[in-house]
Structure formats: C-alpha cells, structure tokens
Amino acid sequence: MTPPARRTTRLLYGASLAAALVVPAALPAHAVPPSRTPMALPAADGAKGQELPGMPTALDARAEAVACTPASKERAKKQDWSRQRLDLDRLHQHTIGAGVTVALISTGVDPEAEGLDGRVTAEGEAADDCVGQGTFLAGLIAGTGGSTPGLAGVAPGAKVLALRGTDRRGQADPALVTAAVRAATTAEADVIAVAVALPRKDAALTRAVAEARKAGAVVVAAATPEPPTRGSADEIPSRTYWPAGEPGVLAVADMLPVGARPDGALPTEGVDLAAPGAGVVSGGPRGKGHYLGAGVAVATAYAAGAAAAVRATHPEESAGAVIRRLTATAYPADTSQLDAYAAVTTILDDSAAPVAGAERAADPVTVRDTSDTDRATGRAVLFVLLGASGVGSLLWAGFAFTRARARGWRPAGAGTADRS
C-alpha cells in the first residue's frame, strides 16, 4: 500500500505490460505540488514492481515559501526503456564522451550528486538545485549511474558545466538564459543544452546563440516548454519557441515508447529530433535515490548527451556536421527519432547520408499512433499526470513496445541491464 504522505509512481514490469499506474497520494501540508510530474511507463522487464517519486519540472510559483523537492528513498532496480531504446550499453563500448564539456542550462546541478561528483562545475546559484530537475538531467547526459551503472547517462565520461536559466522555483527567465548561453560560450563548452523554452523571441538571446554557434558549440534546445497544468494544450495554437527556433539550433521534442508525442504536448513546428521523454529514471540533488522524469527537457538532455558522444568520437566535425549526423542517422518517422548508437558509429558520405551497409542500432520503433485500434483491442497502458490539477490521460503503448522488443531490444535482466 502506498504510504499516505508521499507522492509516488508505481512501475509494473513484465512482457505483457498489462498496466502501469501512477498512484497519487495525499501531500503533506508543507509540500509544493509540481507544475508537471512524469508519466508512469513500463521501464524494464521483470516480475516485480517498484515505486519511484516523480521529478517535477518546476515548483509552485504561487506558494509563499519555497519547498525543495525532497530526497527519494527509493532506488530503481532495472534499466529503464529509454536507455535500452538508445542502446547505451552498446554505445559505451565505443565512447563515453571523455574530453567533452556539456553546458546544461536548467535549474542548476548539485556537484556532489551520485554519479556526477568530480565532473560538474557549478558556481553560485547554479550549485543550488532546489527543483532537482537540472541534476536529474545531468545524470542523463553524463551520469555514471553510481552504484547502479545500468542507469548511466549517454556520455558518462563527459564534464558538465551547470548554469541557471531559471529562478529557484524553476521558472525560465530570458535574461538568465541569455547570460547562461554567454557563460557557456566563454567557457568554450562543446555542447550547450538549453532545457527551457521561451515563448517570445529575444534579441539579446538571439545574439548570444549566434555567438555560441560561431564559437563552435553545438546548441541543443527544448522545442517547447512543458504543457500547462490547467486547461488544454490543444487550445494553444502551434508556435515557435526560443532559443529552439534560432538558426542552427537542434530543436528537440519528447516522445513515448511508440514514437508519438505525449497527449497534451504543446504543438510546434520545426522539431528536428525526438528523444525519449517519459518514464525515464535518474537521480536528484538530495540523497542517493531515484526519480521518474518526463518532458521535453528530458528529451533535450538525451540529445545533448548524444551530441557529446559524437563530439568525442568525431572531434574533427564542426558543430553543424554534428547536428547533421544526429539527424541523418535518426530513425525515420513523422519526427525523426534519436539513435545515439547510430550517430556515433555510422559512416556518412559527404551529403551526410548513411553509407549502405554501415552498422546501426536495432530496428527503430517507427509505429504510427494506433490509439483508436488499441482502444478496441484493449492494449492500453494507463498513466496519470500528477500535476496541481491531477489531470489523467491514457497511453496506448503495449503492442508497439512488445513489437519493438521482438525486433531487437534486449531484456533489462540480461547482460548489463540490471546492474544494481
């Protein structure tokens, strides 16, 4: 039974993927509800379930006092689907991103977080991650997984330069983002990951991004902000967000195991790449426990980690060539899906097209949205978005996920998948 004073996410493991249910519990009076908490998705194979708290994307801006995200007392026992989807175990046989610095513009990063100690530079407010999301994202980019190596990030040998692009509650600020991009450029970061998205174009930010690109940095940015907790994202017209809309920036969106964007995702045009952004496991700034995260920032972190892996393997390539490599080797779909392993290992010709016969990862999940059919057949995975309004949604992923495993995804219980 879920303890009454905790908000947790129950993950149910199994080949049948019968159900994955987020169970909201009563919050203590002092707790601050997050603006958006993750969706519950099957994370790996096995007969047992486990509970992980959700990592918020921001804290309640209306609360009088700031209550930081508490430490997780739970530890993941399996490698989640996203790492299997990106084939990270095999990628790490080729590169761990050593010698590359990724500037992460988010809520800050705890330099002493498990799996990150010794490789994070965070000064001043950037070392104070009250929300926890920045530390969570840093683990996806460059974490070693600590005592759970199966939960390592994409480039566990890379260094992270933590920069604050939000206030302490996680609300994005154009001036802070601009200053962070400039600081990353001054520090000669190889990759700049902007995990926030702004609704309006800002002249100073435009100049800062242009200077970063001129200096040779790969700029990766969230294609949209996180969806609202109240109202419907369907009522919001499609628009461009910034700095993802700037020329030469890799705009990244989140995707579910089926390859589709989550229900309620903000509409936008010009997305360059989709990456896993639901049911993702990583650590936080307090304690050694794990959290479950979701959203566009999570996908952006994965893409930034892949860019770091490419830069480490192909140091001669320009920033533009790195982005072309990431997009040319992606799984073909309505929105191209990140293939970190293929980006590193594929031999490209001068047109950035993969050479015939070059090795790539397992067959992609390029499944169209079959929710209507799945509703009739009952192949449903239930999840609930734990936000201030407690909005519920349905995710139809069972058939596609099972099919993807049959096409080459290895069970997490085999080899290096379960290494806790």
Side-chain angles (χ1 to χ4, degrees), residues 5-7 27-28 30-32 53-56 59 67-73 129-132 284-287 289-291:
R6 297 173 56 205
R7 168 170 289 188
L27 287 172
H30 65 275
V32 178
M55 174 58 72
L59 303 177
C68 297
T69 302
S72 170
K73 298 180 181 179
D129 186 10
C130 183
V131 178
R286 285 163 283 281
H290 294 117
Y291 302 80

Side-chain angles (χ1 to χ4, degrees), residues 5 30 40 58 116 128 133-134 146 160 179 198 243 286 323 340 363 365 380 391 396:
H30 65 275
L116 292 172
D128 174 24
Q133 191 191 42
V160 174
L198 302 168
R286 285 163 283 281
I323 291 178
D363 287 343
V365 181
V391 180
W396 316 108

Side-chain angles (χ1 to χ4, degrees), residues 188-327:
E188 299 182 345
D190 302 287
V191 179
I192 301 176
V194 186
V196 299
L198 302 168
R200 288 178 291 277
K201 187 177 177 67
D202 181 88
L205 180 57
T206 295
R207 290 192 295 271
V209 170
E211 291 167 1
R213 293 184 55 237
K214 184 177 180 180
V218 176
V219 183
V220 182
T224 72
E226 306 301 341
T229 57
R230 293 177 176 80
S232 172
D234 296 334
E235 300 172 358
I236 301 176
S238 179
R239 58 172 301 169
T240 299
Y241 296 89
W242 311 93
E246 296 292 349
V249 174
L250 184 71
V252 184
D254 49 342
M255 74 177 190
L256 303 172
V258 293
R261 293 200 68 195
D263 290 342
L266 291 174
T268 188
E269 298 178 357
V271 175
D272 298 307
L273 207 59
V280 175
V281 178
S282 187
R286 285 163 283 281
K288 295 184 178 181
H290 294 117
Y291 302 80
L292 197 69
V296 190
V298 169
T300 302
Y302 268 143
V310 170
R311 299 225 84 166
T313 309
H314 305 279
E316 76 287 352
E317 292 188 349
S318 66
V322 171
I323 291 178
R324 286 193 295 274
R325 174 177 285 277
L326 290 169
T327 55

Side-chain angles (χ1 to χ4, degrees), residues 11 43 51 59 97 139 148 202 239 248 263 293 322 333-334 353 357 367 370 382 397 400 409 420:
L11 303 181
E51 293 179 351
L59 303 177
T148 313
D202 181 88
R239 58 172 301 169
D263 290 342
V322 171
D334 290 342
V367 183
T370 58
L382 177 64
W409 285 5
S420 56

Side-chain angles (χ1 to χ4, degrees), residues 89-172:
D89 289 333
R90 195 152 62 128
L91 171 65
H92 295 159
Q93 297 175 17
H94 291 268
T95 181
I96 58 172
V100 175
T101 297
V102 180
L104 174 59
I105 302 174
S106 182
T107 62
V109 177
D110 176 9
E112 303 302 322
E114 185 177 33
L116 292 172
D117 47 306
R119 290 181 297 110
V120 174
T121 299
E123 298 179 355
E125 293 183 348
D128 174 24
D129 186 10
C130 183
V131 178
Q133 191 191 42
T135 306
F136 184 97
L137 301 180
L140 300 180
I141 295 171
T144 64
S147 59
T148 313
L151 294 176
V154 183
K159 294 182 179 180
V160 174
L161 171 62
L163 298 164
R164 185 79 85 70
T166 71
D167 63 16
R168 198 161 185 259
R169 300 173 191 248
Q171 303 300 319

Side-chain angles (χ1 to χ4, degrees), residues 306-399:
V310 170
R311 299 225 84 166
T313 309
H314 305 279
E316 76 287 352
E317 292 188 349
S318 66
V322 171
I323 291 178
R324 286 193 295 274
R325 174 177 285 277
L326 290 169
T327 55
T329 60
Y331 292 147
D334 290 342
T335 301
S336 298
Q337 301 166 12
L338 175 66
D339 182 348
Y341 179 79
V344 166
T345 61
T346 299
I347 301 172
L348 301 179
D349 62 20
D350 292 339
S351 65
V355 175
E359 184 182 9
R360 62 179 294 127
D363 287 343
V365 181
T366 54
V367 183
R368 61 185 175 84
D369 185 359
T370 58
S371 57
D372 291 339
T373 302
D374 289 340
R375 187 179 296 110
T377 60
R379 303 177 189 272
V381 176
L382 177 64
F383 69 92
V384 178
L385 293 179
L386 297 179
S389 59
V391 180
S393 301
L394 291 178
L395 169 66
W396 316 108
F399 173 73

Side-chain angles (χ1 to χ4, degrees), residues 37-94:
T37 48
M39 293 159 285
L41 291 174
D45 293 324
K48 298 181 180 180
Q50 65 178 328
E51 293 179 351
L52 295 175
M55 174 58 72
T57 60
L59 303 177
D60 191 350
R62 301 166 301 167
E64 293 183 4
V66 178
C68 297
T69 302
S72 170
K73 298 180 181 179
E74 308 297 332
R75 292 185 66 85
K77 300 176 179 64
K78 299 287 181 178
Q79 187 182 57
D80 63 40
W81 75 274
S82 64
R83 288 167 170 86
Q84 298 176 40
R85 173 67 177 80
L86 297 175
D87 215 354
L88 295 191
D89 289 333
R90 195 152 62 128
L91 171 65
H92 295 159
Q93 297 175 17
H94 291 268

